[in-house]
Amino acid sequence: MILYTIIPQEAVFATDPEVYASQMMIDYEGVPLMVQKEEEKYRVLRVMSSDPSHFLDNRFSPGMILGN
């Protein structure tokens, strides 16, 4: 099988499910995001929207912290 993708091999062939246990999809201010839960806050991992303006909004940049 040949798999043509830009997604890293580690994401396609996940070896440890515990790594992804803290990751989830949320809808934050109308923008779908892949986040990682860190205590009471969430760290943005990916913007899952198809709207280009969401990628240009600095509030949703990967690495940003959402929450209290």
Side-chain angles (χ1 to χ4, degrees), residues 22-66:
S22 63
Q23 295 181 2
M24 64 189 79
M25 290 281 299
I26 64 167
D27 188 50
Y28 184 77
E29 296 184 12
V31 180
L33 301 170
M34 174 73 73
V35 298
Q36 183 172 9
K37 187 169 175 96
E38 297 178 354
E39 297 177 10
E40 296 298 319
K41 299 177 182 176
Y42 296 96
R43 179 178 301 276
V44 177
L45 298 176
R46 294 185 187 132
V47 178
M48 305 299 285
S49 176
S50 59
D51 185 348
S53 67
H54 293 159
F55 290 90
L56 299 174
D57 193 335
N58 290 334
R59 296 177 297 161
F60 311 122
S61 297
M64 297 300 291
I65 301 292
L66 307 175

